[in-house]
PDB file of all heavy atoms in Angstrom:
ATOM      1  N   VAL A1015      30.193  60.977  31.286  1.00  0.00           N
ATOM      2  CA  VAL A1015      30.384  59.749  32.062  1.00  0.00           C
ATOM      3  C   VAL A1015      31.869  59.410  32.050  1.00  0.00           C
ATOM      4  O   VAL A1015      32.616  59.866  31.174  1.00  0.00           O
ATOM      5  CB  VAL A1015      29.570  58.571  31.478  1.00  0.00           C
ATOM      6  CG1 VAL A1015      28.077  58.841  31.570  1.00  0.00           C
ATOM      7  CG2 VAL A1015      29.977  58.274  30.039  1.00  0.00           C
ATOM      8  N   PRO A1016      32.349  58.606  33.001  1.00  0.00           N
ATOM      9  CA  PRO A1016      33.773  58.238  33.013  1.00  0.00           C
ATOM     10  C   PRO A1016      34.123  57.314  31.844  1.00  0.00           C
ATOM     11  O   PRO A1016      33.291  56.532  31.378  1.00  0.00           O
ATOM     12  CB  PRO A1016      33.947  57.504  34.356  1.00  0.00           C
ATOM     13  CG  PRO A1016      32.715  57.778  35.131  1.00  0.00           C
ATOM     14  CD  PRO A1016      31.625  58.050  34.157  1.00  0.00           C
ATOM     15  N   ARG A1017      35.358  57.406  31.409  1.00  0.00           N
ATOM     16  CA  ARG A1017      35.831  56.486  30.377  1.00  0.00           C
ATOM     17  C   ARG A1017      36.079  55.115  31.012  1.00  0.00           C
ATOM     18  O   ARG A1017      36.661  55.014  32.092  1.00  0.00           O
ATOM     19  CB  ARG A1017      37.129  56.995  29.747  1.00  0.00           C
ATOM     20  CG  ARG A1017      36.951  58.238  28.896  1.00  0.00           C
ATOM     21  CD  ARG A1017      38.231  58.556  28.126  1.00  0.00           C
ATOM     22  NE  ARG A1017      39.354  58.808  29.013  1.00  0.00           N
ATOM     23  CZ  ARG A1017      39.652  59.998  29.543  1.00  0.00           C
ATOM     24  NH1 ARG A1017      38.881  61.038  29.266  1.00  0.00           N
ATOM     25  NH2 ARG A1017      40.694  60.143  30.326  1.00  0.00           N
ATOM     26  N   PRO A1018      35.660  54.040  30.337  1.00  0.00           N
ATOM     27  CA  PRO A1018      35.913  52.691  30.851  1.00  0.00           C
ATOM     28  C   PRO A1018      37.235  52.155  30.314  1.00  0.00           C
ATOM     29  O   PRO A1018      37.640  52.476  29.201  1.00  0.00           O
ATOM     30  CB  PRO A1018      34.739  51.891  30.269  1.00  0.00           C
ATOM     31  CG  PRO A1018      34.472  52.558  28.948  1.00  0.00           C
ATOM     32  CD  PRO A1018      34.798  54.030  29.144  1.00  0.00           C
ATOM     33  N   TYR A1019      37.904  51.330  31.112  1.00  0.00           N
ATOM     34  CA  TYR A1019      39.170  50.746  30.679  1.00  0.00           C
ATOM     35  C   TYR A1019      39.101  49.223  30.608  1.00  0.00           C
ATOM     36  O   TYR A1019      39.311  48.644  29.554  1.00  0.00           O
ATOM     37  CB  TYR A1019      40.301  51.198  31.599  1.00  0.00           C
ATOM     38  CG  TYR A1019      40.550  52.684  31.536  1.00  0.00           C
ATOM     39  CD1 TYR A1019      40.352  53.500  32.652  1.00  0.00           C
ATOM     40  CD2 TYR A1019      40.959  53.298  30.357  1.00  0.00           C
ATOM     41  CE1 TYR A1019      40.563  54.868  32.587  1.00  0.00           C
ATOM     42  CE2 TYR A1019      41.168  54.670  30.288  1.00  0.00           C
ATOM     43  CZ  TYR A1019      40.970  55.447  31.411  1.00  0.00           C
ATOM     44  OH  TYR A1019      41.164  56.797  31.340  1.00  0.00           O
ATOM     45  N   ALA A1020      38.840  48.563  31.693  1.00  0.00           N
ATOM     46  CA  ALA A1020      38.867  47.096  31.685  1.00  0.00           C
ATOM     47  C   ALA A1020      38.079  46.578  32.877  1.00  0.00           C
ATOM     48  O   ALA A1020      37.814  47.305  33.841  1.00  0.00           O
ATOM     49  CB  ALA A1020      40.305  46.581  31.759  1.00  0.00           C
ATOM     50  N   ALA A1021      37.693  45.293  32.781  1.00  0.00           N
ATOM     51  CA  ALA A1021      36.945  44.668  33.877  1.00  0.00           C
ATOM     52  C   ALA A1021      37.463  43.267  34.118  1.00  0.00           C
ATOM     53  O   ALA A1021      37.979  42.608  33.209  1.00  0.00           O
ATOM     54  CB  ALA A1021      35.451  44.633  33.554  1.00  0.00           C
ATOM     55  N   ASP A1022      37.323  42.819  35.346  1.00  0.00           N
ATOM     56  CA  ASP A1022      37.623  41.443  35.740  1.00  0.00           C
ATOM     57  C   ASP A1022      36.361  40.909  36.410  1.00  0.00           C
ATOM     58  O   ASP A1022      36.261  40.880  37.644  1.00  0.00           O
ATOM     59  CB  ASP A1022      38.808  41.427  36.709  1.00  0.00           C
ATOM     60  CG  ASP A1022      39.195  40.012  37.154  1.00  0.00           C
ATOM     61  OD1 ASP A1022      38.470  39.063  36.789  1.00  0.00           O
ATOM     62  OD2 ASP A1022      40.202  39.872  37.865  1.00  0.00           O
ATOM     63  N   PRO A1023      35.349  40.515  35.599  1.00  0.00           N
ATOM     64  CA  PRO A1023      34.075  40.082  36.190  1.00  0.00           C
ATOM     65  C   PRO A1023      34.218  38.901  37.132  1.00  0.00           C
ATOM     66  O   PRO A1023      33.472  38.791  38.112  1.00  0.00           O
ATOM     67  CB  PRO A1023      33.239  39.715  34.958  1.00  0.00           C
ATOM     68  CG  PRO A1023      33.849  40.484  33.824  1.00  0.00           C
ATOM     69  CD  PRO A1023      35.322  40.513  34.133  1.00  0.00           C
ATOM     70  N   ALA A1024      35.164  38.000  36.851  1.00  0.00           N
ATOM     71  CA  ALA A1024      35.300  36.817  37.696  1.00  0.00           C
ATOM     72  C   ALA A1024      35.609  37.196  39.139  1.00  0.00           C
ATOM     73  O   ALA A1024      35.125  36.563  40.079  1.00  0.00           O
ATOM     74  CB  ALA A1024      36.385  35.901  37.132  1.00  0.00           C
ATOM     75  N   ARG A1025      36.436  38.222  39.322  1.00  0.00           N
ATOM     76  CA  ARG A1025      36.785  38.669  40.678  1.00  0.00           C
ATOM     77  C   ARG A1025      35.991  39.891  41.112  1.00  0.00           C
ATOM     78  O   ARG A1025      36.147  40.366  42.241  1.00  0.00           O
ATOM     79  CB  ARG A1025      38.287  38.941  40.764  1.00  0.00           C
ATOM     80  CG  ARG A1025      39.123  37.684  40.650  1.00  0.00           C
ATOM     81  CD  ARG A1025      40.549  37.910  41.115  1.00  0.00           C
ATOM     82  NE  ARG A1025      41.287  38.806  40.221  1.00  0.00           N
ATOM     83  CZ  ARG A1025      42.518  39.243  40.450  1.00  0.00           C
ATOM     84  NH1 ARG A1025      43.145  38.894  41.563  1.00  0.00           N
ATOM     85  NH2 ARG A1025      43.126  40.022  39.582  1.00  0.00           N
ATOM     86  N   GLY A1026      35.164  40.439  40.196  1.00  0.00           N
ATOM     87  CA  GLY A1026      34.295  41.543  40.569  1.00  0.00           C
ATOM     88  C   GLY A1026      34.960  42.893  40.626  1.00  0.00           C
ATOM     89  O   GLY A1026      34.689  43.685  41.540  1.00  0.00           O
ATOM     90  N   TYR A1027      35.826  43.210  39.648  1.00  0.00           N
ATOM     91  CA  TYR A1027      36.485  44.512  39.604  1.00  0.00           C
ATOM     92  C   TYR A1027      36.285  45.154  38.234  1.00  0.00           C
ATOM     93  O   TYR A1027      36.192  44.458  37.207  1.00  0.00           O
ATOM     94  CB  TYR A1027      37.995  44.376  39.829  1.00  0.00           C
ATOM     95  CG  TYR A1027      38.399  44.052  41.251  1.00  0.00           C
ATOM     96  CD1 TYR A1027      38.660  42.745  41.637  1.00  0.00           C
ATOM     97  CD2 TYR A1027      38.535  45.062  42.198  1.00  0.00           C
ATOM     98  CE1 TYR A1027      39.045  42.444  42.934  1.00  0.00           C
ATOM     99  CE2 TYR A1027      38.921  44.774  43.501  1.00  0.00           C
ATOM    100  CZ  TYR A1027      39.173  43.458  43.862  1.00  0.00           C
ATOM    101  OH  TYR A1027      39.558  43.167  45.147  1.00  0.00           O
TER     102      TYR A1027
END
Side-chain angles (χ1 to χ4, degrees):
V1015 296
R1017 291 189 299 273
Y1019 295 116
D1022 181 354
R1025 292 196 292 175
Y1027 287 97

